[in-house]
Amino acid sequence: MSLLTKIFGAGGKGGKGPSPQEAIQKLRETEEMLTKKQEFLEKKIEQELQIAKKNGTKNKRAALQALKRKKRYEKQLAQIDGTLSTIEFQREALENANTNTEVLKNMGFAAKAIKSAHENMDIDKVDDLMQNITEQQELAQEISDTISKPVGFGEEFDEDELLAELDELEQEQLDNNLLEIGGPENVPLPNVPSTSLPSRPAKKEEDKDDIEDLQRWAMEAM
């Protein structure tokens, strides 16, 4: 019985093939088995090498036999390395195929779900529904705008006339402020008398001297 037959089974003509998960599991078990075999052969190669070194000068025949066994073990180890590479490649291919299968299966399931969701949908009904929603939103906006406007209880005023009256009041207030700041400009002054003033009576001598003293003091102060 070959190694592949041991791994995958003989199977009959009408027998069902293994699933990807089963095949991947079998390959992983085989990888573990071959890895353990590798470790065993590596230890045996090291042992035979030590025997050859030990008997190299004392017992040449024993040393040669150890080297021959070492060569056989190395050959088996190389074969196992190649087999492991092939199995690893096959396992990765199966894992990728299994992943792709699951992805496609889920995508197909989602597509069926979308189709089922759209079965009872009519595009004309959807358009009518959206149009109805739009109309109701516009109506609600108009109602909100109407409610938010102030109610005058029947009193209607011309806003332009009110603004004109307000401008007049502001201009009048501005004129009054300017008059208060600048003071009266056209206040009448008293008339200058046309007749000459009466001459003052003659002063006494001492008054004259006082006047002259005051004039002299004023001149010095300047």
Side-chain angles (χ1 to χ4, degrees):
M1 185 179 291
S2 65
L3 179 61
L4 294 178
T5 303
K6 291 181 181 179
I7 295 173
F8 299 107
K13 291 184 178 179
K16 183 179 180 181
S19 65
Q21 292 84 355
E22 293 174 347
I24 290 171
Q25 183 61 33
K26 288 290 185 180
L27 289 175
R28 285 176 178 171
E29 293 174 358
T30 303
E31 283 182 291
E32 292 177 1
M33 180 188 66
L34 292 177
T35 300
K36 292 179 180 180
K37 184 68 174 178
Q38 273 184 324
E39 295 173 355
F40 172 77
L41 291 174
E42 288 173 352
K43 292 179 181 179
K44 294 296 292 183
I45 290 171
E46 183 64 25
Q47 290 176 0
E48 297 300 335
L49 181 61
Q50 294 299 326
I51 293 173
K53 289 181 179 180
K54 183 178 180 181
N55 296 296
T57 56
K58 299 178 181 180
N59 190 347
K60 185 176 291 187
R61 178 183 289 275
L64 289 174
Q65 292 296 327
L67 289 176
K68 289 180 181 179
R69 290 191 296 271
K70 172 179 171 293
K71 289 294 183 181
R72 290 198 303 269
Y73 294 148
E74 288 176 345
K75 185 177 180 181
Q76 293 178 26
L77 184 62
Q79 291 175 345
I80 291 175
D81 288 339
T83 303
L84 279 173
S85 297
T86 302
I87 291 176
E88 183 178 0
F89 174 79
Q90 191 175 19
R91 177 177 55 80
E92 291 176 353
L94 277 172
E95 289 175 345
N96 292 333
N98 185 49
T99 301
N100 293 334
T101 301
E102 291 297 323
V103 170
L104 291 175
K105 185 188 298 183
N106 293 332
M107 292 176 66
F109 180 78
K112 291 180 180 179
I114 295 174
K115 183 179 180 180
S116 177
H118 290 164
E119 282 181 354
N120 297 326
M121 289 188 182
D122 187 354
I123 188 62
D124 294 332
K125 293 181 179 180
V126 173
D127 290 337
D128 294 340
L129 177 61
M130 295 306 298
Q131 185 176 359
N132 188 19
I133 292 174
T134 303
E135 292 176 355
Q136 295 301 320
Q137 289 178 343
E138 293 176 354
L139 179 59
Q141 185 63 40
E142 292 178 0
I143 294 173
S144 298
D145 294 341
T146 303
I147 294 175
S148 62
K149 290 180 180 179
V151 180
F153 299 102
E155 296 183 1
E156 297 182 358
F157 302 98
D158 189 347
E159 188 174 354
D160 293 336
E161 291 181 0
L162 295 176
L163 291 174
E165 184 177 353
L166 179 61
D167 291 339
E168 292 178 359
L169 293 175
E170 291 178 351
Q171 185 62 40
E172 183 179 352
Q173 183 65 32
L174 181 61
D175 294 341
N176 293 333
N177 292 337
L178 291 176
L179 289 176
E180 292 178 359
I181 295 173
E185 297 180 356
N186 299 322
V187 178
L189 297 176
N191 297 326
V192 179
S194 58
T195 60
S196 60
L197 296 174
S199 59
R200 291 185 296 177
K203 295 184 178 180
K204 297 180 178 181
E205 191 67 21
E206 57 270 16
D207 293 335
K208 183 178 181 181
D209 293 336
D210 292 337
I211 293 172
E212 290 177 356
D213 292 337
L214 289 173
Q215 291 177 349
R216 191 181 302 111
W217 176 81
M219 291 295 295
E220 290 176 355
M222 295 176 60

